[in-house]
């Protein structure tokens, strides 16, 4: 039996902790701007985009209205999501993801991740 040991060197962005194969890619990521936190834990927020509750086969559209329970990040903004859903906002930036807990019209408590352009502050904690 042989023991095979591999040595792998990766470079990590100092902001979002994403790992890259080359130092150039890591430095490019590290130089991208960082979005300021728009919301705090416990803030009441409202989403801009309609969600659908399909409980009991009666589809009902509503705007999620809840509170921020977790803040993740900074993370690198997904290029496809930014172009398709946010109109290019926050493209090539480090951003924060806000986990919002809200009540569906059927009474179920749901959670969804949002970026800051998708939310509106209702009441600050």
């Amino acid at each position: 039996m042989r023991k095979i040991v591999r040595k792998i060197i990766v470079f990590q962005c100092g902001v979002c902790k994403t790992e890259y194969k080359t130092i150039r890619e890591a430095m490019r990521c590290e130089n991208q701007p960082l979005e300021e936190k728009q919301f705090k834990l416990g803030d009441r927020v409202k989403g801009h985009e309609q969600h659908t509750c399909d409980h009991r086969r009666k589809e009902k559209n509503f705007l999620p209205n809840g509170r921020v329970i977790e803040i993740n990040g900074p993370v690198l903004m997904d290029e496809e999501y930014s172009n398709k859903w946010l109109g290019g906002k926050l493209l090539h930036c480090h951003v924060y993801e806000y986990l919002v807990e809200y009540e569906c019209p059927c009474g179920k408590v749901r959670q969804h991740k949002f970026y800051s352009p998708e939310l509106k502050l209702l009441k600050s904690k």
Side-chain angles (χ1 to χ4, degrees):
M1 180 184 304
R2 292 181 13 196
K3 179 179 178 182
I4 300 172
V5 179
R6 291 186 183 171
K7 186 175 182 181
I8 299 173
I9 298 174
V10 293
F11 299 92
Q12 189 178 52
C13 172
V15 180
C16 64
K17 309 298 185 227
T18 305
E19 293 180 350
Y20 295 96
K21 291 181 180 179
T22 65
I23 192 168
R24 181 174 285 158
E25 290 174 339
M27 288 178 65
R28 187 180 309 128
C29 181
E30 207 167 83
N31 289 332
Q32 292 179 353
L34 175 64
E35 171 201 29
E36 289 184 32
K37 282 188 183 178
Q38 304 292 322
F39 308 102
K40 302 179 299 222
L41 289 176
D43 282 355
R44 302 283 309 166
V45 293
K46 185 175 189 174
H48 290 296
E49 190 174 311
Q50 296 267 336
H51 284 229
T52 303
C53 173
D54 56 0
H55 187 68
R56 297 188 193 124
R57 299 183 189 224
K58 296 179 183 176
E59 289 190 5
K60 187 172 186 179
N61 292 330
F62 68 99
L63 292 174
N65 184 349
R67 64 183 179 85
V68 177
I69 61 169
E70 188 178 310
I71 301 172
N72 298 321
V75 296
L76 195 57
M77 184 64 180
D78 181 30
E79 185 175 349
E80 181 181 349
Y81 186 84
S82 177
N83 286 330
K84 190 172 185 178
W85 298 108
L86 301 179
K89 293 179 185 173
L90 302 177
L91 188 59
H92 305 298
C93 288
H94 289 99
V95 296
Y96 291 96
E97 293 177 333
Y98 300 96
L99 183 63
V100 176
E101 185 175 74
Y102 59 91
E103 190 171 324
C104 197
C106 66
K108 290 184 180 179
V109 176
R110 299 183 186 261
Q111 296 178 352
H112 189 75
K113 287 185 181 179
F114 294 91
Y115 294 105
S116 60
E118 300 174 297
L119 294 172
K120 177 182 174 186
L121 181 64
L122 296 177
K123 184 178 178 185
S124 183
K125 182 168 182 175

